[in-house]
């Protein structure tokens, strides 16, 4: 009975989100609460919800303070000197330009937002591509690869996976660092190859670089942006950021605590006046709170399906239907198909609806839930998000690069899928996944 109710709950949740009948926030609250009440749990439903919310509190707190911290240091201009230097270095060499585009996207994506990455990187680099006649699909592809491979403890997929399975983000991320480094080597190799191929194409087409083309491209900076910049504090902000990342990855400190302290220090360094601090926090609060609300709703959902017994019942049915020989390879199989699955599932419906069932079933065969989550992170809305029609960032990439969406998807799919498969192979070699 509970397994049937649980399956119907997941089905209704996925349908409501994928068909846009309900927002993820509404669906994650309304659907499981209704199912719990119909199953006869009554007032216990509120207890289930509270337990689930408590389980994701640390992850939600980390996301809020990570967004606020990176918003503040970006406003202060921490990335500006890096961008300006990068534009001077790439010059008019297509291979350097493509590699520089990937590097810029990688650096900007430190804040964990794919949308911000594309909003910063593509408008800066697009005039350089247009000036030389380079294919804009290359720009969209290398930016997508750099952002997709660069999953971090505070990026959306990692946070969702940690919240859904109630594990720490660092426990998921740290073992995957070698796989991610392998993916980044692949990204820059592909960027160089695509740029080299563009140089050959331009040369064969008789492209001529004029003296005007040799003039370095300058960024356009608004007056408001200038008023927020703190160029004299570049090294302080950069050092602070490196210390925070080192504290999380090296010292394994809780990210929420690290970013809370980091935000206070960054505000005092860059915007010491109270009014300035309030304005900077308010400027980035909407993004932070919206995602935090979804995470708390997801915690409520997982609390209900777990504590009510629905999750365990569904897992038992899945175990009965799955041969042991197949189940042993579940994480590797999931890692292989995770990137294409991004085209079918949006991140909320997969990480909060499908992943908990897979993880619970895997535990029955002695496979840690964290391993299932790590398998998903190797492609599901990491390398997959920049071409998924279910994520707004995909349309942003195509729109900013001024190319057709299908052209971007067709051009970038194989590169992103190859990055996912290569990271999966690296995860197997390093013992994160067991084949």
């Amino acid at each position: 009975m509970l397994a049937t109710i649980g399956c119907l709950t997941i089905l209704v949740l996925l349908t409501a989100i994928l068909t846009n009948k309900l927002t993820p926030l509404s669906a994650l609250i309304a659907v499981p609460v209704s199912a719990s009440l119909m199953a006869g749990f009554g007032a216990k439903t509120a207890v289930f919800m509270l337990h689930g919310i408590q389980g994701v509190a640390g992850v939600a707190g980390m996301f809020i303070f990570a967004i606020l911290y990176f918003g503040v240091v970006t406003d202060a201009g921490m990335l500006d000197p890096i961008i300006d230097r990068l534009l001077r270095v790439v010059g008019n060499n297509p291979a350097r330009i493509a590699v520089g585009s990937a590097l810029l996207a990688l650096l900007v994506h430190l804040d964990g937002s794919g949308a911000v990455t594309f909003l910063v990187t593509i408008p800066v680099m697009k005039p350089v591509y247009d000036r030389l006649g380079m294919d804009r699909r290359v720009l969209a592809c290398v930016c997508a690869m750099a952002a997709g491979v660069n999953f971090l403890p505070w990026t959306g997929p990692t946070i969702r996976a940690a919240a859904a399975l109630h594990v720490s983000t660092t426990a998921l991320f740290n073992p995957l660092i070698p796989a991610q480094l392998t993916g980044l080597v692949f990204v820059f190799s592909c960027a160089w190859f695509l740029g080299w191929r563009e140089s050959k194409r331009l040369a064969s087409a008789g492209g001529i670089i004029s003296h005007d083309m040799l003039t370095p491209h300058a960024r356009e900076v608004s007056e408001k942006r200038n008023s927020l910049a703190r160029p004299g504090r570049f090294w302080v902000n950069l050092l602070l950021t490196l210390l925070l990342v080192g504290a999380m990855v090296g010292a394994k400190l809780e990210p929420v605590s690290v970013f809370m302290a980091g935000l206070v220090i960054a505000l005092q360094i860059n915007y010491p006046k109270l009014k300035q601090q309030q304005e900077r926090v308010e400027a980035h609060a909407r993004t932070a709170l919206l995602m935090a609300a979804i995470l708390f709703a997801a915690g409520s959902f997982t609390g209900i399906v777990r504590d009510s017994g629905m999750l365990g019942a569904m897992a038992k049915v899945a175990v009965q239907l799955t041969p042991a020989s197949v189940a042993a390879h579940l994480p590797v199989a999931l890692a292989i198909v995770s990137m294409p699955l991004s085209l079918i599932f949006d991140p909320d419906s997969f990480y909060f609806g499908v992943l908990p069932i897979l993880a619970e079933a895997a535990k029955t065969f002695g496979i840690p839930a964290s391993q299932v989550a790590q398998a998903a992170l190797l492609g599901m809305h990491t390398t997959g998000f920049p071409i998924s029609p279910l994520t707004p960032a995909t349309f942003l990439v195509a729109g900013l690069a001024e190319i057709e969406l299908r052209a971007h998807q067709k051009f970038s799919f194989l590169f992103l899928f190859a990055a996912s498969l290569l990271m999966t192979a690296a995860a197997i070699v390093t013992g994160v996944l067991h084949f």
Side-chain angles (χ1 to χ4, degrees):
M1 181 64 179
L2 280 178
T4 302
I5 295 175
C7 289
L8 289 174
T9 300
I10 301 298
L11 181 62
V12 173
L13 176 73
L14 296 180
T15 302
I17 295 176
L18 294 176
T19 59
N20 292 321
K21 297 297 183 182
L22 291 173
T23 65
L25 179 65
S26 300
L28 286 166
I29 297 172
V31 175
V33 168
S34 300
S36 180
L37 293 176
M38 286 189 293
F41 289 103
K44 290 183 179 179
T45 301
V47 178
F48 299 157
M49 294 173 70
L50 180 60
H51 287 169
I53 291 171
Q54 289 171 339
V56 302
V59 175
M62 181 203 69
F63 188 84
I64 292 173
F65 287 100
I67 287 293
L68 294 177
Y69 172 79
F70 281 110
V72 168
V73 294
T74 300
D75 289 342
M78 185 183 74
L79 294 176
D80 292 349
I82 299 174
I83 294 173
D84 292 336
R85 177 65 63 88
L86 184 61
L87 289 173
R88 289 196 296 269
V89 169
V90 299
N92 293 280
N93 183 319
R96 286 185 180 182
I97 290 170
V99 171
S101 303
L103 178 59
L104 180 57
L106 182 69
L107 293 173
V108 177
H109 197 246
L110 279 174
D111 75 343
S113 171
V116 172
T117 300
F118 302 135
L119 282 169
V120 172
T121 306
I122 294 178
V124 167
M125 299 304 299
K126 180 173 164 290
V128 182
Y129 280 70
D130 290 346
R131 186 174 54 186
L132 297 181
M134 292 177 64
D135 191 341
R136 293 176 189 161
R137 293 178 302 171
V138 173
L139 173 60
C141 179
V142 298
C143 290
M145 283 195 294
V149 170
N150 190 34
F151 54 89
L152 296 162
W154 51 90
T155 51
T158 312
I159 289 173
R160 288 181 176 92
L165 302 184
H166 297 275
V167 295
S168 73
T169 54
T170 50
L172 295 181
F173 172 74
N174 287 3
L176 289 175
I177 291 177
Q180 186 179 69
L181 292 175
T182 303
L184 289 174
V185 171
F186 176 77
V187 167
F188 285 107
S189 299
C190 287
W192 181 88
F193 167 75
L194 289 171
W196 173 81
R197 192 173 68 177
E198 278 298 285
S199 66
K200 295 295 183 183
R201 181 184 67 81
L202 292 171
S204 64
I208 300 175
I209 298 177
S210 68
H211 177 74
D212 291 339
M213 289 180 178
L214 296 175
T215 304
H217 174 66
R219 290 184 304 117
E220 295 182 5
V221 183
S222 67
E223 184 177 341
K224 181 180 179 181
R225 185 77 182 79
N226 270 327
S227 68
L228 294 174
R230 300 292 186 268
R233 300 180 184 109
F234 165 74
W235 288 108
V236 177
N237 286 320
L238 182 61
L239 178 60
L240 175 61
T241 302
L242 293 175
L243 288 174
L244 296 184
V245 174
M248 288 181 290
V249 177
K252 298 183 179 179
L253 298 182
E254 282 298 320
V256 61
S257 304
V258 172
F259 279 120
M260 287 177 74
L263 174 63
V264 173
I265 296 171
L267 286 171
Q268 293 299 328
I269 290 173
N270 297 289
Y271 307 103
K273 295 183 179 179
L274 180 60
K275 184 178 179 182
Q276 293 176 322
Q277 293 183 4
Q278 290 175 333
E279 289 175 348
R280 290 304 87 217
V281 170
E282 289 173 1
H284 304 286
R286 182 178 181 275
T287 301
L289 291 176
L290 179 60
M291 185 62 189
I294 292 176
L295 289 173
F296 282 126
S300 169
F301 165 74
T302 54
I304 289 174
V305 296
R306 184 190 64 238
D307 291 357
S308 66
M310 294 181 200
L311 190 60
M314 287 187 289
K316 287 181 181 178
V317 173
V319 168
Q320 292 170 357
L321 298 176
T322 305
S325 58
V326 174
H329 304 295
L330 176 61
V332 174
L334 177 59
I336 291 172
V337 301
S338 60
M339 184 271 173
L341 285 178
S342 299
L343 303 174
I344 302 173
F345 293 101
D346 74 287
D348 292 317
S349 62
F350 178 84
Y351 281 105
F352 298 135
V354 178
L355 185 63
I357 298 175
L358 295 176
E360 192 70 20
K363 282 199 296 185
T364 306
F365 294 97
I367 301 172
S370 59
Q371 193 174 125
V372 178
Q374 288 163 334
L377 289 174
L378 293 171
M380 171 55 70
H381 285 287
T382 48
T383 57
F385 93 89
I387 61 169
S388 172
L390 301 172
T391 56
T394 299
F395 299 93
L396 197 59
V397 174
L400 290 171
E402 296 182 14
I403 58 176
E404 291 186 0
L405 176 61
R406 62 181 178 180
H408 165 56
Q409 292 174 316
K410 183 178 180 181
F411 187 91
S412 301
F413 178 86
L414 289 178
F415 289 100
L416 291 164
F417 194 21
S420 177
L421 294 178
L422 186 62
M423 289 192 295
T424 298
I428 294 172
V429 170
T430 55
V432 177
L433 301 182
H434 302 286
F435 187 69

